[in-house]
Amino acid sequence: MECPMSARKAAGFNTQSFASENFSKLKSVMHEKHISQGEKIYWEGEDCQYLYFLKQGAVKLTKSSDEGKDLVLYYFQPGDLFGDLKDDIHLTNSYTAEAISDCTLGVIQQHDLESLLWQNGGLAIDFMKWLGYMQRFLQTKLRDLLFFGKNGALASTLIRMSNTYGVADGDTIRFTTKLTNSELGDLIGSTRETVNRMLNQLKREEIIGYEGGVITIKDLDGLKTICHCEGCPKSICRL
């Protein structure tokens, strides 16, 4: 059965800043690698020197706390680029990447990337744009987690879900897949029980509903009010 995360809207991939001819140069130095569902692509704390282009499947990126709690920062879909590169100070991966379905990856070694960037000014500019996009992406997620409490973080996550795989039906947005309350908790650094209480409150306020066990959004503006939505573009406001 196909992982629901791998069936998301193709318009949301994070490499759209690359011109096609420049991204073709990146593809020319990739070697293909296959990863099975549940396998770790890399671990937090390991030496870093690769970027990964997700050709098929779905990947989640997590950050672990000292208590062993994992915070899910990203869900990557086909067309996304991810990974850590080392410099004179940062030599290890900051996150753990796990395949949540069988994946096909294009692997780029850091020294090959550096050679390409030296030789191609246009590619270097596109790569800088990608780095800026990933920085804004992370900043908006941390803003939601730190500034507006668990309620704001959950509201923001539901909005991101609606932009990622929500389908509008009149004034209602229906999700084409389902995340468990535990998975939602991992996205906002909370417990399943806390998420359950917050979702029940949103349901009582008729901001969300349920159909066949899947969340529907009835009042998108209500969610935006809770998380003080700044109207970020959908390319940033995604899981």
Side-chain angles (χ1 to χ4, degrees):
M1 183 174 64
E2 183 182 20
C3 171
M5 288 296 179
S6 65
R8 301 194 298 164
K9 296 179 181 178
F13 51 84
N14 69 18
T15 52
Q16 295 180 85
S17 63
F18 289 91
S20 58
E21 62 271 19
N22 288 330
F23 201 76
S24 294
K25 295 171 184 175
L26 279 183
K27 288 183 176 180
S28 70
V29 298
M30 294 179 186
H31 68 269
E32 193 165 277
K33 184 175 183 179
H34 299 280
I35 300 290
S36 299
Q37 181 178 0
E39 187 176 347
K40 298 296 190 295
I41 300 167
Y42 56 83
W43 290 87
E44 182 178 349
E46 285 185 336
D47 290 344
C48 60
Q49 55 182 315
Y50 300 102
L51 287 182
Y52 302 86
F53 176 64
L54 184 55
K55 298 181 177 181
Q56 183 177 357
V59 171
K60 68 177 180 180
L61 205 67
T62 61
K63 181 73 174 177
S64 297
S65 69
D66 292 338
E67 294 77 25
K69 174 68 175 177
D70 288 338
L71 176 65
V72 178
L73 290 175
Y74 302 102
Y75 280 108
F76 292 117
Q77 63 181 9
D80 281 341
L81 186 69
F82 63 96
D84 285 328
L85 299 175
K86 64 181 177 181
D87 54 35
D88 293 338
I89 300 175
H90 306 95
L91 303 176
T92 59
N93 291 312
S94 301
Y95 311 101
T96 297
E98 178 184 343
I100 54 177
S101 68
D102 292 343
C103 293
T104 301
L105 301 169
V107 184
I108 306 171
Q109 296 190 55
Q110 182 167 341
H111 63 81
D112 290 333
L113 173 64
E114 290 173 347
S115 296
L116 278 178
L117 296 179
W118 274 108
Q119 298 167 19
N120 301 276
L123 174 59
I125 291 173
D126 286 353
F127 189 75
M128 289 171 59
K129 292 178 180 177
W130 175 77
L131 289 173
Y133 166 85
M134 295 302 292
Q135 183 70 15
R136 291 193 298 273
F137 193 17
L138 179 59
Q139 286 174 348
T140 58
K141 286 206 168 188
L142 293 179
R143 174 201 64 196
D144 297 341
L145 289 171
L146 295 175
F147 293 160
F148 306 122
K150 299 302 184 186
N151 285 317
L154 178 60
S156 172
T157 298
L158 293 175
I159 294 172
R160 291 176 187 275
M161 288 176 63
S162 73
N163 291 333
T164 305
Y165 42 78
V167 176
D169 183 5
D171 294 331
T172 300
I173 299 174
R174 293 180 169 82
F175 296 155
T176 57
T177 190
K178 178 182 179 180
L179 290 182
T180 67
N181 289 0
S182 293
E183 290 169 328
L184 287 172
D186 289 341
L187 282 162
I188 66 172
S190 187
T191 64
R192 177 184 61 81
E193 293 79 10
T194 299
V195 169
N196 187 55
R197 288 196 298 270
M198 291 189 293
L199 289 174
N200 285 334
Q201 181 61 35
L202 292 174
K203 183 179 179 182
R204 287 192 292 271
E205 295 172 0
E206 298 187 346
I207 293 176
I208 67 168
Y210 287 90
E211 291 185 8
V214 179
I215 295 172
T216 61
I217 296 178
K218 296 182 176 181
D219 183 2
L220 183 60
D221 288 336
L223 288 176
K224 290 181 177 180
T225 298
I226 294 171
C227 67
H228 302 265
C229 176
E230 296 179 358
C232 298
K234 291 184 178 181
S235 60
I236 296 291
C237 188
R238 49 160 277 193
L239 286 182

